[in-house]
Amino acid sequence: MSSTTNGKVADLAKDTVDVHDKQHMTTDYGIKINNPDHTLRVVDEKRTGPALLEDQIAREKIMRFDHERIPERVVHARGTGAFGTFKLFESAEDVTSAGVLTDTSRETPLFVRFSTVQGSKGSPDTVRDVRGFAIKMYTQEGNWDIVGNNIPVFFIQDAIKFADVIHSVKPEPHNEVPQGQSAHNNFWDFQYLHSETTHMNQWIMSDRAIPRSYRMMQGFGVNTYSLVNKEGKRTFVKFHLTPELGVHSLVWDEALKINGQDPDFHRKELMEAIDNGHFPRWKFGLQLLAEDKLDDFEFDPLDATKVWPEELIPIRYIGQLELNRNIDEFFPQTEQVAFCTSHIVPGIDFSDDPLLQGRNFSYFDTQLSRLGANWQELPINRPMCPFMNMTNRDGAMRHRITKGTVNYWPNRFDANPPATEAEGGFVSHPQKVQGHKKRALSEKFGEHYNQAQVFYNSLSPIEKKHVASAFSFELDHCDDPVVYKRMTERLTSIDLDLAKTVATNVGGDPPKKATKENKGTKAKGLSQLEYMPEKPTIETRRIAILIADGFDFNQYTTMKEALSKQGAFVFTIGAQRQGVTSESGQTVIPDHFFVGMRSTLFDAVYVPGGKHVQTLAKNGVAKHWIAESFAHLKPIAASNDAVPFIQRQINLPEVEVAQSGSPLKESYGVVTGYGDAASLLKVGKVGPDAKGLAEQFVWHVSRHRNWARELDGLAEQIAA
Ligand code: HEM
């Protein structure tokens, strides 16, 4: 368990207890329990008779259990949380007076909850979906919540449409199908009928919607907020988080399989990284827009279906968010944490973004039904700064005891007075507002395709291929021709080739001409391949070493050490977990056996030399490990006797391997070589000019996946 502590962790300690053998079991009202295993009943040697209602101990236990569920979140039900810290490197006092964004001596404790949107609480982690990235900062001036996503835009423009978009994506009402998926008629019906979703469609059909890890995705506040400085000047702002480890995704077939093989993959690997001291970090940045520049763009900057192009409004990075402590208990922390977009601190204010305006109402409201009126008192939600509002009391499960005779303001004692602005009181920015009372949006909200097209154009060829496959998968699951025909038609407003590919795959009408000409305009910061880590790294990458009886112990240990030294998490996968014996007689206890843990749960695989390859060659699962790793574009390394073994599993002429006695070979991310452990497996500096086998392997793992395999049509020739 990670031990990092901070002010909020210390605050929670007041409400935290340990379970240990010195503390007797009691009822919830405190009497010691003598026999927790049997109900009080009428019984003799021969007969077990009826239970007695008198049994207060059994009744308490059963009734307490009957009521231990609370409603799950209406969206983002599936999630996982961790504690961390926000550090500020550069003061943003030119634009805000908020202490958290101006005082560089502060470390602000925080709690983050990552989530998926569609599925219920028990749904798998690696579904295709938007990921929530919700942050609660316990600042000295009160809680500040950034309730963001890993995608910078949203489906709809006006919050009144939220119930519709969510109803359409959730399991269909007549049969509660499907779970955790947008691949169904209702979702795509809604998407077609709301052309404002077109931009978001591109993002969710891209690799962004199947992240490799919560630690490897961006975070965006999505909505536009305002910052207000000491002089009262307002600047519009969008919040950005960029991960230190780069932005990486799973491949779709892998994601589908992990859903079954390890539905908790994301939450487990986040905990694994934190527990091992590899704390995930994000750069925190601001996109700033002067108030008088609001009308300077072809889109409305307050429209949440649009990004602010970085060419026009660069990101100013000023801080860092780090996650450094796992939770102690899921329910009181991750489940009861409750975020509100309306939770802002002085120096930060809202904007007229019509989605944000509705969100500001919705979150507080939903917490009332999910957690009750006193939800802000719960330890995970209460602020760390002093807080008191003597008019907000009572309600179910009130915990705090407030002394004194008055509960209204003003009162004859001046008790609990409001604060002036100078004393830190929150004062809304005195924005001048004018217009007509209408159910409408202003004109620029009417353009829905430009940025969708720019996003698609900006993707790399492999990402475009994935978008086409994702649309094809999704629309193939729609059995109403109206739905898939209309949606493929919609794609002609993005790119004619994309529309043609998808229409062919799913049976749409053959598109003849583009409804919006694609002039190929691109922008930066949209392709996730732009977000490789600053320095190549394999830190926290899960790498498997396959062994069976007769493996080369020297090669095994040298590679394991070399990879571990680089911060990778190395797992030995053996023919059996009872112990695997090397050629030279050493026994290794593997972490898992071939069937228990599949290639999908690792980023790369290495097979050392040794006679064990004869056993591996007779084991279908071990062979599939290699084929599947290849099809999922993962780096593969093999040395000595293992070289012909992996070559046979891949068996494609384009993929070349080292020949005995010849130098090292790297081909499509498959790294092979002959020699002794010392010469093959040394790792110096990780980089493109890597020389040795291990060094080459590490370099390829740091690149995440070998896209050329798919682009050149090799991956699809191997059955994953
Ligand atoms: C910019 C668009 C949006 C983003 C980025 C967003 C993000 C999120 C996130 C991250 C969560 C999960 C919070 C957690 O981890 O507990 C969440 C929950 C929720 N969102 Fe949104 N959301 C958006 C739009 C909306 C809109 C428009 C509404 C309503 C009008 C809404 C209503 C809710 C509700 C009711 C919850 C459940 C909260 C709870 O029970 O704790 N969201 N949203």
Side-chain angles (χ1 to χ4, degrees):
M1 179 56 61
S2 48
S3 59
T4 310
T5 193
N6 61 39
K8 186 61 190 175
V9 173
D11 173 48
L12 293 180
K14 289 184 252 166
D15 294 275
T16 308
V17 288
D18 259 339
V19 180
H20 53 76
D21 60 0
K22 303 282 175 299
Q23 169 72 61
H24 285 298
M25 180 190 286
T26 71
T27 62
D28 290 344
Y29 63 92
I31 63 154
K32 287 183 187 144
I33 294 175
N34 164 257
N35 179 348
D37 301 320
H38 290 111
T39 306
L40 190 67
R41 58 167 57 87
V42 182
V43 63
D44 64 22
E45 295 73 31
K46 276 202 181 142
R47 296 267 178 280
T48 301
L52 298 177
L53 186 61
E54 178 193 314
D55 185 354
Q56 84 282 25
I57 293 179
R59 271 189 292 122
E60 184 190 80
K61 185 162 182 179
I62 292 171
M63 292 164 80
R64 185 65 186 69
F65 172 77
D66 290 346
H67 296 271
E68 74 184 26
R69 287 287 170 274
I70 59 169
E72 66 174 32
R73 287 167 175 82
V74 60
V75 281
H76 295 261
R78 170 77 180 173
T80 194
F83 292 95
T85 318
F86 176 72
K87 284 184 198 148
L88 189 70
F89 297 134
E90 176 195 314
S91 168
E93 65 194 0
D94 50 325
V95 285
T96 179
S97 61
V100 62
L101 298 178
T102 54
D103 181 352
T104 50
S105 69
R106 282 193 195 183
E107 283 196 6
T108 304
L110 55 87
F111 189 79
V112 164
R113 183 172 178 273
F114 298 113
S115 50
T116 54
V117 179
Q118 199 264 17
S120 60
K121 195 168 171 278
S123 58
D125 277 350
T126 61
V127 296
R128 176 174 292 284
D129 201 348
V130 184
R131 296 301 185 285
F133 194 142
I135 310 163
K136 186 180 284 296
M137 299 219 204
Y138 304 96
T139 87
Q140 292 175 22
E141 292 80 20
N143 288 351
W144 175 32
D145 296 352
I146 303 178
V147 200
N149 281 342
N150 74 329
I151 288 178
V153 289
F154 201 65
F155 294 98
I156 47 163
Q157 297 170 321
D158 186 328
I160 199 170
K161 298 301 306 177
F162 189 70
D164 296 301
V165 66
I166 295 304
H167 284 166
S168 79
V169 71
K170 283 270 186 186
E172 296 187 1
H174 61 297
N175 59 4
E176 186 72 1
V177 171
Q179 182 59 241
Q181 290 196 38
S182 49
H184 60 110
N185 287 326
N186 283 4
F187 177 69
W188 287 105
D189 183 31
F190 180 93
Q191 299 298 296
Y192 176 77
L193 292 168
H194 294 76
S195 51
E196 73 207 70
T197 64
T198 307
H199 190 194
M200 182 67 165
N201 287 171
Q202 290 295 318
W203 283 85
I204 51 165
M205 291 302 106
S206 79
D207 292 341
R208 304 283 186 149
I210 42 170
R212 157 65 181 79
S213 164
Y214 291 133
R215 303 173 294 122
M216 299 172 196
M217 56 184 208
Q218 282 172 284
F220 303 94
V222 185
N223 292 118
T224 300
Y225 279 83
S226 306
L227 295 176
V228 183
N229 69 10
K230 273 211 180 89
E231 290 72 45
K233 184 166 169 276
R234 175 162 85 147
T235 308
F236 293 113
V237 64
K238 275 188 188 281
F239 301 112
H240 289 257
L241 291 142
T242 306
E244 201 177 61
L245 291 172
V247 181
H248 305 288
S249 293
L250 298 168
V251 299
W252 180 231
D253 184 68
E254 181 190 14
L256 286 174
K257 288 175 173 168
I258 297 177
N259 281 337
Q261 290 166 353
D262 192 354
D264 307 300
F265 181 73
H266 277 154
R267 62 170 63 175
K268 279 162 65 177
E269 71 100 64
L270 174 68
M271 289 191 274
E272 177 180 70
I274 295 175
D275 274 344
N276 284 287
H278 290 274
F279 300 146
R281 295 189 187 97
W282 286 259
K283 281 192 297 178
F284 175 85
L286 311 172
Q287 263 185 311
L288 296 165
L289 178 65
E291 207 176 2
D292 58 0
K293 298 270 188 285
L294 201 58
D295 298 327
D296 287 8
F297 304 89
E298 61 166 28
F299 59 93
D300 192 315
L302 304 187
D303 173 357
T305 67
K306 306 292 190 305
V307 291
W308 291 0
E310 285 179 43
E311 288 86 352
L312 306 178
I313 309 174
I315 302 175
R316 172 172 156 196
Y317 286 103
I318 58 166
Q320 176 188 273
L321 182 151
E322 174 184 275
L323 295 181
N324 47 32
R325 192 178 201 279
N326 280 319
I327 54 163
D328 290 309
E329 194 186 1
F330 188 86
F331 185 84
Q333 298 181 324
T334 307
E335 194 58 13
Q336 292 204 127
V337 70
F339 301 89
C340 286
T341 53
S342 53
H343 284 180
I344 51 173
V345 291
I348 302 175
D349 209 331
F350 308 119
S351 77
D352 293 338
D353 173 341
L355 198 68
L356 177 62
Q357 295 274 319
R359 293 183 77 195
N360 285 343
F361 175 81
S362 180
Y363 287 81
F364 193 100
D365 183 49
T366 197
Q367 310 310 357
L368 293 177
S369 68
R370 192 166 73 84
L371 299 167
N374 284 305
W375 65 272
Q376 304 208 64
E377 271 198 319
L378 293 169
I380 192 69
N381 293 325
R382 72 181 169 220
M384 279 176 60
C385 61
F387 63 100
M388 158 67 70
N389 187 321
M390 63 167 181
T391 61
N392 296 347
R393 333 176 161 209
D394 299 1
M397 307 308 263
R398 180 64 171 177
H399 177 82
R400 201 179 215 192
I401 299 158
T402 311
K403 294 201 286 188
T405 57
V406 290
N407 54 2
Y408 54 87
W409 175 262
N411 58 65
R412 61 192 180 283
F413 309 110
D414 271 352
N416 199 206
T420 63
E421 193 172 1
E423 288 166 333
F426 182 88
V427 178
S428 292
H429 178 70
Q431 180 192 344
K432 188 170 174 201
V433 182
Q434 61 181 32
H436 302 279
K437 189 159 86 179
K438 275 165 92 174
R439 293 190 184 275
L441 292 167
S442 49
E443 243 173 52
K444 282 185 186 168
F445 280 77
E447 195 291 307
H448 299 153
Y449 301 126
N450 288 347
Q451 288 203 357
Q453 207 170 51
V454 171
F455 175 79
Y456 180 75
N457 292 340
S458 308
L459 298 180
S460 62
I462 190 72
E463 290 172 295
K464 284 186 178 165
K465 204 163 181 282
H466 292 170
V467 167
S469 308
F471 270 112
S472 303
F473 179 95
E474 296 273 313
L475 295 178
D476 182 67
H477 282 67
C478 301
D479 54 14
D480 188 335
V482 174
V483 174
Y484 59 79
K485 287 188 174 178
R486 289 204 300 206
M487 260 322 289
T488 48
E489 170 65 18
R490 168 64 45 76
L491 293 177
T492 60
S493 62
I494 304 296
D495 184 76
L496 192 56
D497 285 342
L498 170 67
K500 281 182 180 162
T501 308
V502 176
T504 307
N505 287 342
V506 307
D509 295 328
K512 291 197 184 57
K513 71 175 190 30
T515 44
K516 177 176 164 61
E517 191 193 348
N518 186 354
K519 297 204 177 113
T521 315
K522 295 183 183 184
K524 69 172 196 173
L526 302 176
S527 161
Q528 71 179 51
L529 298 190
E530 286 181 34
Y531 298 92
M532 292 304 276
E534 275 167 25
K535 274 200 233 125
T537 174
I538 63 165
E539 207 185 312
T540 73
R541 290 307 184 133
R542 296 167 62 84
I543 305 180
I545 305 184
L546 290 197
I547 57 167
D549 287 334
F551 68 99
D552 181 324
F553 186 73
N554 247 347
Q555 293 195 349
Y556 161 79
T557 41
T558 314
M559 182 63 116
K560 193 172 172 190
E561 274 166 29
L563 298 174
S564 306
K565 228 164 133 186
Q566 297 286 326
F569 296 154
V570 187
F571 297 84
T572 305
I573 315 294
Q576 65 278 335
R577 199 152 88 168
Q578 214 170 47
V580 177
T581 310
S582 73
E583 258 175 353
S584 42
Q586 295 91 338
T587 299
V588 165
I589 304 293
D591 299 296
H592 299 283
F593 85 122
F594 297 151
V595 183
M597 208 45 75
R598 300 305 180 95
S599 84
T600 39
L601 306 168
F602 300 88
D603 291 295
V605 57
Y606 166 63
V607 188
K611 292 201 179 60
H612 73 144
V613 289
Q614 291 161 13
T615 310
L616 297 180
K618 287 189 190 139
N619 185 314
V621 182
K623 292 198 295 189
H624 187 61
W625 253 82
I626 304 301
E628 195 177 45
S629 299
F630 185 85
H632 291 163
L633 318 177
K634 297 174 181 178
I636 298 171
S639 45
N640 296 1
D641 324 55
V643 177
F645 165 69
I646 65 122
Q647 186 186 24
R648 273 196 298 279
Q649 312 322 318
I650 299 167
N651 199 22
L652 293 172
E654 293 87 344
V655 182
E656 296 174 41
V657 297
Q659 299 304 314
S660 180
S662 75
L664 187 83
K665 187 81 201 168
E666 184 282 313
S667 171
Y668 285 102
V670 178
V671 192
T672 49
Y674 288 85
D676 58 22
S679 65
L680 282 174
L681 304 175
K682 224 175 39 230
V683 180
K685 209 167 145 237
V686 184
D689 47 0
K691 298 277 180 308
L693 180 124
E695 227 169 43
Q696 276 279 345
F697 183 47
V698 166
W699 165 246
H700 283 275
V701 178
S702 81
R703 301 293 84 196
H704 184 55
R705 297 295 155 92
N706 188 279
W707 307 117
R709 267 185 222 164
E710 193 180 341
L711 287 170
D712 293 355
L714 303 185
E716 67 195 39
Q717 296 181 46
I718 303 284

